[in-house]
Amino acid sequence: FGQATFDELRRFGEYPVAWSVQPGATDEITVVTVAFGSDIFRPCLVSAEDLNKLLDYMQSTIRKETGDESFSLSRRTE
């Protein structure tokens, strides 16, 4: 597992598909991302703040693509 940041994940078009609900000893959360353009899955460690930014970005993208402004991701990162 390598450490990743919101900017890195966004730059490579990676979206979270699974994550732990609690940070580990280093206050990082284990996340598995997928790049939909290549179907490559990657496990990494991110801060809770970066995961929340990534989920906000994902939610915004889904709303924009579907036109459903009421769409909301259910999240448990705290």
Side-chain angles (χ1 to χ4, degrees), residues 31-70:
V31 176
V32 176
T33 64
V34 64
F36 291 120
S38 62
D39 292 334
I40 294 176
F41 289 83
R42 176 170 77 127
C44 56
L45 296 170
V46 299
S47 69
E49 179 183 348
D50 280 346
L51 177 57
N52 281 319
K53 282 194 235 177
L54 193 57
L55 292 171
D56 288 341
Y57 175 69
M58 186 174 171
Q59 180 175 283
S60 174
T61 300
I62 292 169
R63 285 179 176 180
K64 184 172 124 185
E65 293 298 319
T66 64
D68 181 359
E69 289 299 317
S70 66

Side-chain angles (χ1 to χ4, degrees), residues 19-23 29 48 51-52 55 73-78:
W19 56 89
S20 61
V21 295
Q22 294 184 350
I29 296 176
L51 177 57
N52 281 319
L55 292 171
L73 285 172
S74 175
R75 49 182 101 182
R76 293 187 64 192
T77 59
E78 298 175 351

